[in-house]
Amino acid sequence: MVRSLLDTYKHEGWLPDCRMSLCKGWTQGGSNADVVLTDAYVKNLTGIDWDLAYEAMVNDAENEPLEWSYEGRGGLQSWKRLNYIPYLDFDYLGFGTNSRSISRTLEYSYNDYCLSTVAKALQKDDYTKYRSRAGNWQNLYKADQTSLINGTDTGFVGFFQPKHLNGTWGYQDPIACSALASWCSLTSNPSETFESSVWEYQLYRALPISYC
């Protein structure tokens, strides 16, 4: 499977994401073939061209495809300049569903953590750049954000929230996109998290990106 990911990159220029019956499906947001490649690397899988894998992962991190709903990442200029994906981002380099600013920020952070892991193992000089970007999830963590359920304070404080291009906070109810509130869909009523609530995306903080 890992070699097939790299074959797709060699022939099409991008690692695949959400392939279905040889067709390109809409991605969740990040370039998550990077995660599969890194998992294979740390488990010492053999017979894989790791220099090519690293090249493909760097391509995801540095270059934006024209249509990033199907492959790669969108909003990379904001990602590199602001260190988060903003709400209603202005992206003139490519086209995609302009939503999921919270979950894309979290996924990009994890993707860059994965890239930094492989870069360090391969003794690449830019591993520190990607390790730094892996901490960008912190820029959407609002330490004083509360959460109510049916008007009752849950007692929990500190949730991810969207930010505008100018750095001011936006708002998404932490229970939105959950069984406790309304459903959400990427195609019907997209939100700043991908088909799940901010509460659930809090679990991303349990991943290794927390220790960058």
Side-chain angles (χ1 to χ4, degrees), residues 6 18 52-53 95 114 144 196 203 205:
L6 296 180
C18 195
L52 180 65
F95 302 91
C114 290
D144 61 352
S196 192
L203 298 176
R205 290 194 296 156

Side-chain angles (χ1 to χ4, degrees), residues 4 15 21 33 35 37 51 60 161 202:
S4 74
L15 288 168
S21 300
V35 180
L37 291 174
D51 287 324
D60 280 340
Q161 287 293 293
Q202 296 287 99

Side-chain angles (χ1 to χ4, degrees), residues 17 24 27 46 48 65 87 123 152 207:
D17 204 325
K24 297 179 181 180
T27 71
T46 59
I48 298 167
Y87 173 67
Q123 299 183 326
T152 301
L207 293 170

Side-chain angles (χ1 to χ4, degrees), residues 21-165:
S21 300
L22 304 179
C23 297
K24 297 179 181 180
W26 282 8
T27 71
Q28 182 169 313
S31 52
N32 291 310
D34 303 339
V35 180
V36 177
L37 291 174
T38 303
D39 184 61
Y41 186 88
V42 299
K43 291 177 178 175
N44 296 314
L45 268 66
T46 59
I48 298 167
D49 185 343
W50 289 114
D51 287 324
L52 180 65
Y54 177 73
E55 175 189 306
M57 294 170 72
V58 169
N59 184 56
D60 280 340
E62 298 295 341
N63 302 310
E64 182 171 327
L66 181 62
E67 175 52 88
W68 48 263
S69 285
Y70 303 117
E71 56 204 1
R73 307 187 207 172
L76 284 181
Q77 285 202 323
S78 291
W79 179 245
K80 297 172 186 179
R81 181 173 63 89
L82 301 174
N83 300 316
Y84 63 91
I85 296 297
Y87 173 67
L88 295 180
D89 187 23
F90 176 68
D91 182 3
Y92 62 86
L93 294 180
F95 302 91
T97 306
N98 197 5
S99 61
R100 302 157 294 150
S101 63
I102 295 174
S103 55
R104 284 167 61 203
T105 293
L106 296 178
E107 288 190 38
Y108 289 14
S109 295
Y110 189 36
N111 299 152
D112 281 340
Y113 174 80
C114 290
L115 175 51
S116 74
T117 299
V118 175
K120 184 176 183 180
L122 295 178
Q123 299 183 326
K124 303 294 185 180
D125 293 336
D126 54 3
Y127 102 88
T128 55
K129 174 177 69 174
Y130 298 117
R131 185 59 58 93
S132 177
R133 287 186 194 172
N136 284 354
W137 63 272
Q138 298 169 89
N139 296 318
L140 293 190
Y141 182 72
K142 194 168 187 288
D144 61 352
Q145 180 63 53
T146 59
S147 177
L148 306 179
I149 297 179
N150 296 324
T152 301
D153 193 335
T154 63
F156 290 90
V157 181
F159 292 89
F160 293 113
Q161 287 293 293
K163 266 186 183 177
H164 297 279
L165 275 163

